Each structure stands twice: as structure tokens, then as C-alpha cells.
Amino acid sequence: MRIILLGSPGAGKGTQSKLLAAHFHIPQISTGDMLRSAIRAGSPLGLQVKKVMDAGSLVTDDLMIQLVKDRLQQHDCAQGYLLDGFPRTVAQADALQQDGIAIDYVIEIAVNEAEVVKRLSGRWTHPPSGRTYHPVFNPPHHAGKDDVTGEPLIQRPDDQEDAVRHRLNVYHQQTEPLIAYYKTSTRQTEKEQVPQYIRVDGGQPVAEVQQQILTAVHSVAAD
Ligand code: AP5
């Protein structure tokens, strides 16, 4: 089970990735979480990317491609993986293809922009795990505390209004073209190993979005 989750900032990629990774027993590879953990650790990578991330811009393709290739070499990826936040540019998608990195499903979570802004302005995050909450849509059991560890939740610097607006522009310019990229590759080749493209309505509640994804994956797998 090798999956890419596509979607705008705040579409619910992280939320759904965690549920799907647990369901299919595969690792969730969130490039955003990897970079944020490098920033928290104060590593050279973290120092290099902090400013770019806080502003809501993209980290360079070369750096991201190497990071993901190295991660996919790890033992836990042998039976599959879920890529959350990668690829994000056509160059990153080309790099996967050129390296023969197989993908079975590309799942697009589609959400309108007004909903995204509502979600991100209310998002609270548990930095060590990447778990996210929202006071209305996905409240923690105790306000301001992670459900699993009880540790404090924070608001991400790139969830400030200006950075959110910039992230949405970056998404439209650099990531949205991947929708056509993967839809076309599904249609063009019939017998080769190409990803199946699935689009779900991400504007529904979390459990319903997950159900849509599982139903679509199982029905494609049964064909
Ligand atoms: P990243 O962390 O990947 O951020 P993103 O793509 O902007 O996505 P988000 O984490 O904001 O949203 P999400 O879709 O995961 O939504 P979530 O589930 O949290 O990347 C951050 C930065 O890292 C980038 O800007 C860039 O700088 C860098 N980067 C990362 N990868 C890169 C790459 N490949 N190349 C270059 N740079 C890269 O949900 C959002 C909120 O909504 C939460 O509060 C949640 O509880 C709530 N929610 C979720 N689902 C629902 C629902 N169905 N209904 C109601 N509320 C919901």
C-alpha cells in the first residue's frame, strides 16, 4: 500500500494520514512534520528551513527529494508508506518517477478555501507527534492539551493569516498542477503499474472523509 495524499494546506492531509497509516499499518511520512522536528532539534537542516517554513514558502526541491529518498530506504517502508506533503511540485513528482518509486494510490482531499481558512485559524498542534486539533471540528478532551500525552498544544507560526494566504497561493501555483499530472498518468497507461487517482470531498467531517477514502481504495483494489 503506497499512497500519496494531495490537498491544499488545511485540507486534512495530516489528520487523514494518521488514521490511514494506522489502518493499513504503514508509516506516515509527513515532510512538514520531519522539517518541524528538525527545527525543534536545532539541527543544521532545521536552521536552514525555519525562515522559509514560517513564511509559508516551499523548501527547495533538491533538499526535499533527498530527505524523502533517504526516509524511504528505511526498513519500515518495505511494506508500504503514506506520503503526506510530498510531492509538492512537478519536479518532486518527476523525481519519484525517475527513481522508480512505486505509488499505488494518489488521493486528493478537496476542500474549499473558506473552509481551509476556518480550519487553519483554529488549528492547535502537538509538535512532537504532529497530532492536530480544532476547538470546533476536532476538539481535544481537555482544552490546550494533547489527548495522548497531556502535553501542551501550540499554534504553528505558518498558521498566521499572512502566511496562510501565501501558502494557498503557493499551493495553487506549484502543487495544484500535480492533480492533472497524476490524473493523466492514471488514464494514459492501462497495464503498467501506475497510481490510481481518487478524489474525495474533504469538506465532510473527519470520520466521513476517512470512510470515503477507505471505500474508494477497497473498490479500486477489488476491480
Ligand atoms: P505541511 O506541514 O505539509 O503543511 P500543509 O501542506 O500546509 O498542510 P497542513 O499541515 O497545514 O494541513 P493538513 O492538510 O495536514 O491539515 P490538518 O490535518 O492538519 O508543510 C508545512 C511547510 O513545510 C510547507 O509550507 C513548506 O514550507 C514545508 N514543506 C513540507 N513539505 C514540503 C515539500 N514536499 N516541498 C517543499 N516544502 C515542503 O487539518 C487542519 C485543521 O483542520 C486541524 O485543526 C484539523 O483538526 C482540522 N480538520 C482536519 N480534517 C477536518 C475535517 N474533515 N473537518 C473539519 N476539520 C478538520
Side-chain angles (χ1 to χ4, degrees):
M1 190 56 78
R2 295 157 297 195
I3 302 175
I4 288 174
L5 273 196
L6 277 185
S8 74
K13 300 182 297 298
T15 303
Q16 294 300 327
S17 294
K18 285 189 168 39
L19 298 169
L20 293 171
H23 181 89
F24 290 117
H25 306 289
I26 51 175
Q28 173 204 9
I29 301 179
S30 159
T31 43
D33 284 351
M34 288 163 84
L35 295 172
R36 280 184 288 277
S37 110
I39 292 175
R40 277 199 312 284
S43 71
L45 170 66
L47 295 174
Q48 192 181 341
V49 301
K50 182 170 178 3
K51 251 195 182 159
V52 174
M53 281 185 75
D54 285 355
S57 297
L58 293 187
V59 175
T60 61
D61 285 332
D62 287 352
L63 206 156
M64 295 311 302
I65 289 165
Q66 199 52 53
L67 191 70
V68 170
K69 278 190 193 168
D70 290 348
R71 179 65 184 85
L72 289 174
Q73 295 300 318
Q74 289 177 23
H75 186 65
D76 62 340
C77 295
Q79 301 306 319
Y81 37 82
L82 192 158
L83 293 173
D84 162 15
F86 186 97
R88 229 176 176 99
T89 62
V90 169
Q92 293 178 13
D94 282 344
L96 286 179
Q97 206 172 29
Q98 280 152 17
D99 260 47
I101 295 170
I103 301 295
D104 301 304
Y105 300 97
V106 174
I107 302 172
E108 179 197 347
I109 304 180
V111 176
N112 71 50
E113 218 157 288
E115 176 71 17
V116 161
V117 171
K118 257 194 272 170
R119 288 184 185 181
L120 293 184
S121 59
R123 171 165 60 182
W124 288 84
T125 304
H126 176 243
S129 68
R131 281 186 285 277
T132 60
Y133 301 88
H134 189 286
V136 178
F137 305 128
N138 184 22
H141 299 323
H142 302 285
K145 300 262 171 27
D146 176 50
D147 285 351
V148 178
T149 63
E151 289 168 348
L153 304 175
I154 60 136
Q155 285 197 290
R156 275 171 39 179
D158 61 347
D159 281 347
Q160 303 294 322
E161 197 183 327
D162 281 358
V164 168
R165 227 177 290 123
H166 181 57
R167 282 161 66 201
L168 284 167
N169 285 336
V170 169
Y171 171 76
H172 292 311
Q173 284 166 19
Q174 304 206 50
T175 309
E176 218 165 37
L178 291 178
I179 294 174
Y181 180 102
Y182 282 115
K183 271 188 178 165
T184 310
S185 77
T186 301
R187 276 203 307 272
Q188 273 176 350
T189 318
E190 280 170 14
K191 295 217 171 91
E192 279 174 41
Q193 173 67 33
V194 290
Q196 293 295 319
Y197 195 87
I198 291 170
R199 182 178 195 267
V200 296
D201 174 6
Q204 303 302 313
V206 172
E208 231 165 275
V209 178
Q210 193 199 19
Q211 200 47 54
Q212 285 182 61
I213 296 175
L214 292 177
T215 304
V217 167
H218 288 133
S219 92
V220 170
D223 276 351

